[in-house]
Amino acid sequence: QLQLVESGGGLVQPGGSLRLSCTASRFVLNYYVIGWFRQAPGKEREGISCISSLHDKTTYDDSVKGRFTISRGDAKNTVYLQMNSLKPEDTAVYYCAANWNPNSPLCTMGPHYHYWGQGTQVTVSS
């Protein structure tokens, strides 16, 4: 059973940066499509980025495009979300999710992922 653990959240001032990690124990994530999601208080969970398993094609929601970057780590069991130019509206619990699909050239940000982490809080405030 794949287990995902998010880390790297915290309190940051507007304009600051954070790097979130999504780490799997005893599994490599190269064969999984990975998505990052977030849920703000009182709002539905939304997909913000994903990375395919074939050729690492990335996709971003318009709300984070140009500010966030998803990437796979050299250790093969970690996927990162680099978040720059953070805004107060980025405040949310951030989740990573995974689907086994070794040869997927695309990824989507829908809610259909099978494996989910427990989330990490990101608060952007002065």
Side-chain angles (χ1 to χ4, degrees), residues 12-18 83-87 124:
V12 64
Q13 292 186 342
S17 298
L18 285 174
M83 306 187 298
N84 298 330
S85 302
L86 283 161
K87 306 174 181 180
V124 185

Side-chain angles (χ1 to χ4, degrees), residues 6-12 18-21 83 92 94 120-123:
E6 301 94 338
S7 61
L11 174 64
V12 64
L18 285 174
R19 188 177 76 162
L20 305 184
S21 299
M83 306 187 298
Y94 283 70
T120 185
Q121 176 70 46
V122 172
T123 302

Side-chain angles (χ1 to χ4, degrees), residues 40-94:
K43 295 187 176 181
E44 293 187 355
R45 186 166 56 191
E46 61 175 348
I48 57 172
S49 184
C50 62
I51 187 167
S52 73
S53 54
L54 186 65
H55 305 313
D56 288 347
K57 179 177 172 58
T58 58
T59 301
Y60 299 93
D61 184 77
D62 286 344
S63 64
V64 305
K65 196 174 295 181
R67 299 188 298 124
F68 290 10
T69 303
I70 188 172
S71 63
R72 295 185 185 272
D74 292 338
K76 310 298 184 185
N77 68 333
T78 302
V79 172
Y80 299 104
L81 185 69
Q82 177 68 42
M83 306 187 298
N84 298 330
S85 302
L86 283 161
K87 306 174 181 180
E89 52 263 44
D90 294 318
T91 295
V93 178
Y94 283 70

